[in-house]
Amino acid sequence: MAEEKTTAQVEETAEAKQETKVEAQVQDPKEFLENFDWDKYEQGIERVEDSKLKEFEDLVAENFVDTADEEVVQGTVVYLTEREAIIDINAKSEGVISLNEFRYNPDLKVGDKVEVLIDIREDKSGQLVLSHRKARTIMAWDRVNAAHDKEEIVSGFVKCRTKGGMIVDVFGIEAFLPGSQIDVKPIRDYDQYVNKTMEFKVVKINHEFKNVVVSHKALIEADIEEQKKEIIGQLEKGQVLEGVVKNITSYGVFIDLGGVDGLVHITDLSWSRINHPNEVVELDQKLNVVILDFDENKSRIQLGLKQLEKHPWDALSEDIKIGDKVKGKVVVIADYGAFIEVAEGVEGLIHVSEMSWSTHLRSAQDFVKVGDEVEAVVLTLDREDRKMSLGIKQLTPDPWTDITTKYPVGSKHKGIVRNFTNFGVFVELEEGIDGLIYISDLSWTKKIKHPSEFVTVGDTLEVEVLELDVDGRKLSLGHKQTTENPWDKYETEFALGTVHKGAIAEIVDKGATIDFNEDIVAFVPSRHLEKEDGKKLAKGEEAEFKIIEFNKEFKRVVASHTAIFREEEQRNVKAAVKKAAASADEAKPTLGDANEALQALKDKMEANDKKKK
């Protein structure tokens, strides 16, 4: 809306027009029209040249900020109080920001340039509202994205430790630094990085969840890769290098050779046997190692530590020879023997057969255990192959040297049951003297299927020497021979035809059994269980039995109840026949009469048989 002109302005305009008319009367009309100032004539102001307008616009653009809401601009700290910072952004008023938003920068001072976000151009009180925190967040995401796209190096402050890594402040954004991305070597103490400023590379951004992942390891990998190529190119077998213990495992030690890792296997750490590599080395220890081998790409490097020292066998005294006594410590035990360290790095094997004069099977653990100090005799010694065999039993006399005097055939002794086999029992008479009792020589009367039915390991048995083989170092023993054979007595007591009283113990297949005593178990066939009335004997029923078979060798006894009354019938028949014959002689009967009498007796016997059936 145009403003109304005052009286003075009107008068000025009139005077100007009057002057213009006077000048126009004096000047040339054409020249007058070309130079006439129409803006001044119409608006009462002088026209400004375009060059001056452009200069003015540039000054405004340079010094004046268009204070649009939600816009990030740069401001200058012009004043600081205990709680606030006054920021000038070249607007018509300054903004106020709490110092809490500058906690990350304790060195903030007047004159510092800071980025701010225009929250509100003018609040109810006319105050410009700014936010440095919001501006920093917006600008941080722009910077982070730019750093990720351009693979730039950024600086960050490690705030704290978290599960699996660290939290890093990058441009005001909390980024995650995984533990595996801190360094090329394993990190054992994460706390050493807290409250430190480090350089990082942005490796991953999740825009959806606003997550940023950074890596310090990525910055040093490139340099290490160059060092690695240089080192690998110079590797040679037998070369000695200095390295640092990077990691210790149960099977070996990883050595950092300056960007290249090599493995020292546990067997290449020491000439002596060790249970774990940490007995020899410790983490971060510097040591010299020798290159033993590597693959074509030199990516797997095999190193050695013990190879830098003289082999212990080379330092073994020349005075040691076969037959000498040596002392050492048990370092390893196997089923077949034990390894004895007689000098550092020098071991000898004591086979289990050289631990005792005993010939029955035993384990090395029955004689020694790891850590024992033992004395042994050198049996074999090969310095070229670096092998030595030892013996313990040679320290004591061979018990077989006077075996015939101690244990002649027929002599009786006591021994301890040491072991079972399916066919017998091994009995130890003394250390180194073992004998075998066959299963058939355990008992005169019992039928034994396995020795465990008769004895247990550790039992003491009386034995008799049955056979002696000095050359084969074998003893044949018997246990039953130490007692009288009861079957010699039973052979008479249960002779064929003898009659004994007993009860049916069990009904078995094809017959029954009778226990005449603890040794004699007789068998009664089914047809011999028949009683006189035609019925059969039942379990528990007592009756008389006749021995119809006795075998001492196989311990077999067979009895019959039926045979008792059958023989009586046969005796009756014979007696009747004899009586009939005598009567016939007296009466002088005819031949027909005699036949009739015999036929009558025969019919009676058949009738009895049918009745029984």
Side-chain angles (χ1 to χ4, degrees), residues 265-365:
H265 194 269
I266 188 172
T267 57
D268 291 316
L269 282 171
S270 172
W271 291 113
S272 300
R273 287 182 185 264
I274 58 175
N275 296 318
H276 197 277
N278 57 20
E279 297 176 17
V280 180
V281 298
E282 57 185 21
L283 287 173
D284 300 326
Q285 179 183 350
K286 287 186 179 181
L287 44 78
N288 290 330
V289 290
V290 61
I291 297 176
L292 303 180
D293 201 0
F294 45 75
D295 59 9
E296 294 181 358
N297 299 325
K298 297 182 180 179
S299 58
R300 293 185 179 181
I301 305 172
Q302 183 181 345
L303 305 174
L305 181 63
K306 71 179 184 181
Q307 287 78 5
L308 296 176
E309 300 176 357
K310 188 177 181 180
H311 198 289
W313 271 88
D314 298 334
L316 186 65
S317 175
E318 294 291 338
D319 296 334
I320 296 179
K321 58 185 182 300
I322 294 175
D324 286 351
K325 294 180 181 179
V326 294
K327 291 183 178 180
K329 184 175 68 173
V330 179
V331 290
V332 174
I333 293 181
D335 288 337
Y336 56 85
F339 288 92
I340 311 299
E341 188 176 50
V342 297
E344 186 176 357
V346 178
E347 296 177 2
L349 171 65
I350 303 179
H351 194 271
V352 67
S353 62
E354 302 298 339
M355 292 183 173
S356 170
W357 291 108
S358 178
T359 55
H360 67 83
L361 184 61
R362 294 173 75 176
S363 171
Q365 295 176 347

Side-chain angles (χ1 to χ4, degrees), residues 240-256:
V240 178
L241 299 173
E242 184 182 62
V244 178
V245 177
K246 180 179 180 180
N247 191 19
I248 299 177
T249 68
S250 59
Y251 56 85
V253 178
F254 287 93
I255 306 295
D256 184 358

Side-chain angles (χ1 to χ4, degrees), residues 1-231:
M1 184 175 178
E3 298 179 357
E4 295 183 0
K5 294 181 179 180
T6 62
T7 305
Q9 289 176 332
V10 174
E11 291 178 354
E12 277 184 19
T13 302
E15 290 178 359
K17 288 181 179 180
Q18 185 65 32
E19 290 177 0
T20 302
K21 290 179 180 180
V22 173
E23 289 177 359
Q25 292 176 357
V26 177
Q27 295 178 354
D28 181 65
K30 185 177 181 181
E31 182 181 354
F32 173 79
L33 289 174
E34 289 177 357
N35 296 324
F36 187 76
D37 188 349
W38 292 99
D39 292 331
K40 184 178 180 180
Y41 173 76
E42 294 177 353
Q43 300 179 12
I45 57 174
E46 293 185 3
R47 182 178 181 179
V48 181
E49 296 180 359
D50 291 341
S51 60
K52 290 184 178 182
L53 286 174
K54 181 68 171 63
E55 182 181 354
F56 178 74
E57 290 174 357
D58 291 340
L59 289 173
V60 171
E62 180 180 351
N63 294 287
F64 184 76
V65 176
D66 184 10
T67 56
D69 294 347
E70 299 297 327
E71 182 179 355
V72 176
V73 297
Q74 191 176 68
T76 304
V77 179
V78 294
Y79 187 73
L80 289 173
T81 69
E82 292 182 357
R83 295 184 178 181
E84 297 171 327
I86 309 302
I87 309 299
D88 180 15
I89 62 170
N90 289 331
K92 69 178 182 179
S93 64
E94 287 84 11
V96 179
I97 299 178
S98 172
L99 288 180
N100 286 334
E101 298 191 22
F102 296 97
R103 282 182 298 179
Y104 73 95
N105 184 9
D107 299 326
L108 184 69
K109 60 184 182 299
V110 174
D112 285 353
K113 300 290 185 181
V114 294
E115 291 163 341
V116 295
L117 176 74
I118 302 172
D119 260 354
I120 303 174
R121 183 172 53 188
E122 191 174 319
D123 63 5
K124 294 180 179 179
S125 62
Q127 179 65 51
L128 176 64
V129 180
L130 305 176
S131 173
H132 175 63
R133 179 179 57 81
K134 293 181 180 179
R136 194 163 176 258
T137 301
I138 294 172
M139 295 302 295
W141 274 104
D142 293 340
R143 291 177 184 175
V144 165
N145 282 286
H148 178 262
D149 296 339
K150 297 177 182 179
E151 298 185 354
E152 294 178 348
I153 298 174
V154 298
S155 179
F157 178 75
V158 181
K159 297 177 63 176
C160 62
R161 178 180 175 180
T162 187
K163 184 178 180 181
M166 316 288 287
I167 298 298
V168 180
D169 186 312
V170 179
F171 304 136
I173 294 176
E174 288 191 347
F176 178 60
L177 172 64
S180 61
Q181 296 298 314
I182 297 176
D183 205 338
V184 291
K185 60 183 179 181
I187 302 301
R188 292 178 290 278
D189 181 15
Y190 285 80
D191 294 333
Q192 63 179 314
Y193 296 96
V194 177
N195 296 328
K196 285 188 177 181
T197 300
M198 302 169 60
E199 291 185 333
F200 302 97
K201 187 175 181 180
V202 181
V203 294
K204 185 178 181 181
I205 297 177
N206 187 320
H207 294 281
E208 182 179 357
F209 297 103
K210 298 293 184 182
N211 291 334
V212 178
V213 180
V214 295
S215 170
H216 178 69
K217 175 182 176 182
L219 298 179
I220 58 179
E221 278 183 334
D223 294 337
I224 289 178
E225 192 63 31
E226 291 297 325
Q227 296 177 14
K228 186 175 179 180
K229 289 179 181 178
E230 183 178 351
I231 294 173

Side-chain angles (χ1 to χ4, degrees), residues 348-605:
L349 171 65
I350 303 179
H351 194 271
V352 67
S353 62
E354 302 298 339
M355 292 183 173
S356 170
W357 291 108
S358 178
T359 55
H360 67 83
L361 184 61
R362 294 173 75 176
S363 171
Q365 295 176 347
D366 296 334
F367 301 95
V368 294
K369 61 181 182 294
V370 174
D372 282 353
E373 295 286 342
V374 298
E375 186 178 27
V377 176
V378 178
L379 303 181
T380 63
L381 181 62
D382 188 340
R383 293 180 182 272
E384 291 185 2
D385 290 340
R386 295 168 176 168
K387 292 181 179 179
M388 180 190 301
S389 63
L390 307 172
I392 295 179
K393 71 181 184 181
Q394 288 77 10
L395 296 172
T396 57
D398 185 353
W400 281 82
T401 53
D402 57 349
I403 189 73
T404 55
T405 304
K406 285 185 178 180
Y407 304 102
V409 174
S411 60
K412 294 181 180 180
H413 309 274
K414 287 186 178 181
I416 299 175
V417 177
R418 292 299 187 192
N419 196 14
F420 290 148
T421 68
N422 290 329
F423 52 84
V425 180
F426 282 101
V427 176
E428 185 181 59
L429 300 180
E430 65 173 85
E431 180 69 28
I433 303 295
D434 299 332
L436 174 64
I437 304 177
Y438 283 99
I439 197 169
S440 59
D441 289 320
L442 287 172
S443 174
W444 290 112
T445 57
K446 293 182 180 180
K447 293 182 179 180
I448 303 171
K449 294 181 180 180
H450 191 274
S452 59
E453 300 173 8
F454 188 80
V455 293
T456 59
V457 174
D459 285 354
T460 299
L461 280 184
E462 289 190 1
V463 296
E464 180 178 319
V465 179
L466 304 181
E467 295 180 12
L468 176 60
D469 182 359
V470 178
D471 295 332
R473 302 173 79 92
K474 292 181 180 180
L475 268 177
S476 179
L477 306 174
H479 171 65
K480 71 180 184 181
Q481 288 80 2
T482 60
T483 60
E484 184 181 355
N485 186 355
W487 285 86
D488 293 337
K489 180 180 65 174
Y490 297 150
E491 189 174 19
T492 303
E493 185 180 348
F494 293 90
L496 290 176
T498 57
V499 177
H500 304 271
K501 198 170 186 178
I504 301 296
E506 295 290 341
I507 301 297
V508 297
D509 187 28
K510 297 182 180 180
T513 60
I514 305 170
D515 297 332
F516 286 125
N517 58 36
E518 61 180 6
D519 297 326
I520 302 296
V521 179
F523 174 69
V524 183
S526 293
R527 58 191 176 87
H528 289 280
L529 291 170
E530 188 177 327
K531 296 187 291 185
E532 192 172 4
D533 60 2
K535 297 180 180 179
K536 289 189 176 183
L537 293 170
K539 181 177 179 179
E541 191 171 353
E542 193 174 52
E544 289 187 337
F545 296 89
K546 184 177 183 179
I547 305 301
I548 60 176
E549 182 181 345
F550 183 91
N551 190 313
K552 174 182 174 181
E553 181 179 358
F554 296 103
K555 300 178 179 62
R556 176 179 170 85
V557 178
V558 181
S560 172
H561 172 68
T562 306
I564 291 178
F565 64 81
R566 282 285 173 86
E567 287 184 359
E568 187 176 348
E569 285 182 355
Q570 290 176 0
R571 285 196 299 270
N572 291 336
V573 170
K574 289 180 180 179
V577 171
K578 186 176 181 181
K579 184 177 181 181
S583 298
D585 289 340
E586 292 177 3
K588 295 183 180 179
T590 62
L591 181 61
D593 293 336
N595 287 337
E596 288 178 3
L598 290 173
Q599 184 64 43
L601 183 59
K602 181 179 180 182
D603 292 341
K604 181 182 177 181
M605 292 178 66

